[in-house]
Amino acid sequence: MQPRIAGRNFLFVPGPTNVPDRVQRAMMVAMEDHRSSKFPELSTSVLHDLKKVFKTEAGQAFIFPSSGTGAWEAALTNTLSPGDKILAARFGQFSHLWIDMAQRLGFDVQVVEVEWGEGVPLQRYEEILRADQRHEIKGVLACHNETATGVTSDIAGVRRALNAADHPALLYVDAVSSLASIDFRMDDWQVDLAVSGSQKGLMLPAGLGIVCASPKALVARESARCPRVFFDFGDMLRANAGGYFPYTPSLPMLYGLRESLAIMFEEGLDNIFARHHRLAEGVRAAVRAWGLKLCARAPKWHSDTVSAILVPEGTNGADVIDVAYRRYNLALGAGLARMAGKLFRIGHLGDLNELMLLGAIAGTEMAMRDVGIQVTPGSGVAAAAEYYRGTAAPLPARTAAPQSPDATQPAGKAAPRATVRA
Ligand code: PLP
């Protein structure tokens, strides 16, 4: 058995992320009747407010008791028929897994292989779509934020490629590790199926698979012939219309979602995106100061939710992760599939701030030195800290002078020391 390490675990995997105390408390509820007359208040409010997070007015939100993987499946099976042609790019473990799912579901997937460290190849997509004169491609997949490599793709650019080719295919976007952390605009980008999960930017435990479907996607549903039962949009639409679910929903998760939406609206989506960008820039400053490189090959691919950091030749990223976890109580993300051992990842999304990240950067730096990676002690922490200091928002003027405990006494009549209460 491992010895207990005191203090909080530093959770810096790119999901699950820290669940705010407010959300945890909101989830501590007695079970209720999910068919009661009161239940629709909760369900209709979360379904309505989720749309704001996707930035859609026209779209329809669906909440499944699943993870992001279930939401991938729901998006595909509700809108396509067996054998349909799909265009997708593979540039990391999650874009790969979605392709793998599409193939196993019986779709004909045209896969564009891309270097891991780059994102959706817009030019190539446009060429393929232009060449598809008979519009055989029914769906175009794009992973907005490839969590395995820390790469963000240009979804507006994918929409432009579709429009330039005047192609009617549905646009499917994996927003699992971007939603509520990196700007996502379902309506502006005319995304047809946007897929996400609860355990990342939404600051909840894993357990909800969330999909938003455009009106065009809902029309496609009517002729889509893939079998589906648990993930059927039709059953969900009928039940949701009255404020209910076709099966037993997870009440704590829905109460948690209600609270996390409230927290997000209090901060404001644009402020959340700006916070994620600034925190990520600090991590990138630390990586530069360490003399290391990101897996993302160019700044245009840099992800504001996760940094995948390549370790030097002859060292193993898994060793950094192991020491960080066992010695410093810091959880870092692993290199997945072909990136195993070559990198480790710092997740920087959800409910976090500068000092939390500086703790993670310090622990990473210590663990790297422990396993023989020669980074200068304190270099990453100093670079990130200075970046955060230099970019901090000006403090509002203080409205009142700080009070000392005896400040209320008239001048010259300070209370004797013994009577001052803390
Ligand atoms: N897509 C991306 C980009 C992810 O990062 C993940 C999980 O990390 C998934 C899909 C799969 O989601 P889940 O693990 O919730 O099924």
Side-chain angles (χ1 to χ4, degrees):
M1 210 172 95
Q2 285 189 28
R4 174 179 182 271
I5 307 181
R8 280 196 108 127
N9 173 247
F10 274 60
L11 182 63
F12 281 86
V13 295
T17 63
N18 295 297
V19 177
D21 294 347
R22 263 174 71 179
V23 172
Q24 290 195 29
R25 282 195 295 273
M27 293 179 69
M28 298 269 283
V29 287
M31 290 305 107
E32 294 170 20
D33 177 8
H34 59 288
R35 300 188 208 284
S36 75
S37 53
K38 178 170 170 273
F39 182 74
E41 272 173 39
L42 172 64
S43 53
T44 47
S45 90
V46 290
L47 283 166
H48 176 266
D49 283 353
L50 260 180
K51 290 174 35 166
K52 299 183 195 161
V53 182
F54 284 90
K55 294 199 177 165
T56 182
E57 285 184 10
Q60 170 83 39
F62 294 92
I63 303 175
F64 293 100
S66 79
S67 71
T69 304
W72 272 347
E73 185 165 333
L76 295 174
T77 56
N78 276 283
T79 50
L80 293 167
S81 300
D84 273 355
K85 195 161 175 184
I86 290 177
L87 172 62
R90 175 164 31 220
F91 43 81
Q93 182 63 1
F94 294 101
S95 46
H96 160 70
L97 287 173
W98 205 10
I99 288 169
D100 176 60
M101 169 185 278
Q103 288 169 333
R104 285 156 68 180
L105 287 169
F107 302 115
D108 172 12
V109 190
Q110 178 168 357
V111 182
V112 183
E113 299 291 349
V114 175
E115 287 295 335
W116 289 31
E118 296 183 3
V120 176
L122 301 181
Q123 188 70 35
R124 194 75 196 97
Y125 265 30
E126 186 177 327
E127 285 161 13
I128 292 168
L129 291 166
R130 277 186 193 278
D132 180 35
Q133 294 285 329
R134 290 164 55 191
H135 295 166
E136 284 173 353
I137 296 172
K138 301 295 176 214
V140 172
L141 308 194
C143 184
H144 189 198
N145 189 74
E146 174 50 81
T147 323
T149 56
V151 161
T152 301
S153 285
D154 175 7
I155 302 302
V158 180
R159 168 46 62 197
R160 280 196 298 276
L162 275 152
N163 289 352
D166 202 12
H167 202 293
L170 294 171
L171 174 55
Y172 297 73
V173 177
D174 174 334
V176 174
S177 59
S178 59
L179 189 79
S181 318
I182 297 172
D183 196 8
F184 182 83
R185 302 166 181 230
M186 176 147 180
D187 283 0
D188 285 359
W189 301 340
Q190 293 166 265
V191 173
D192 293 299
L193 281 306
V195 171
S196 201
S198 48
Q199 75 276 23
K200 302 199 191 244
L202 294 177
M203 307 178 290
L204 289 159
L208 299 180
I210 296 167
V211 185
C212 237
S214 72
K216 183 173 158 188
L218 293 179
V219 170
R221 178 188 76 87
E222 288 163 18
S223 52
R225 283 180 287 102
C226 277
R228 63 247 179 197
V229 180
F230 184 76
F231 288 120
D232 188 41
F233 281 178
D235 290 347
M236 199 53 107
L237 282 170
R238 277 186 292 280
N240 283 174
Y244 297 98
F245 284 84
Y247 30 65
T248 320
S250 166
L251 275 167
M253 288 298 286
L254 293 178
Y255 277 112
L257 177 58
R258 182 56 278 155
E259 190 65 14
S260 78
L261 287 164
I263 291 175
M264 281 185 272
F265 298 148
E266 278 166 31
E267 183 173 357
L269 281 179
D270 290 339
N271 293 332
I272 292 175
F273 304 146
R275 171 169 57 84
H276 279 78
H277 178 67
R278 182 166 162 272
L279 292 176
E281 284 284 294
V283 174
R284 292 190 276 266
V287 174
R288 279 193 301 278
W290 289 330
L292 298 179
K293 290 216 156 17
L294 292 170
C295 180
R297 291 176 167 221
K300 70 170 176 175
W301 305 122
H302 285 172
S303 164
D304 285 342
T305 57
V306 52
S307 293
I309 300 158
L310 296 166
V311 294
E313 234 11 76
T315 61
N316 190 338
D319 292 339
V320 180
I321 295 166
D322 177 52
V323 170
Y325 187 69
R326 288 192 296 136
R327 187 167 282 158
Y328 303 118
N329 210 4
L330 165 66
L332 298 170
L336 301 176
R338 74 164 74 154
M339 302 321 277
K342 295 187 182 157
L343 58 79
F344 63 84
R345 295 174 296 153
I346 301 181
H348 32 81
L349 73 162
D351 185 39
L352 84 166
N353 60 30
E354 297 92 331
L355 292 193
M356 290 162 81
L357 252 178
L358 285 171
I361 293 169
T364 305
E365 202 164 277
M366 290 156 79
M368 282 197 290
R369 287 182 56 78
D370 290 353
V371 303
I373 299 177
Q374 297 301 323
V375 294
T376 306
S379 56
V381 174
E386 283 305 286
Y387 176 79
Y388 294 142
R389 285 189 58 252
T391 55
L395 287 174
R398 205 157 42 201
T399 44
Q403 292 218 333
S404 68
D406 53 3
T408 49
Q409 298 293 326
K413 292 204 175 159
R417 196 104 199 110
T419 63
V420 174
R421 295 215 183 94

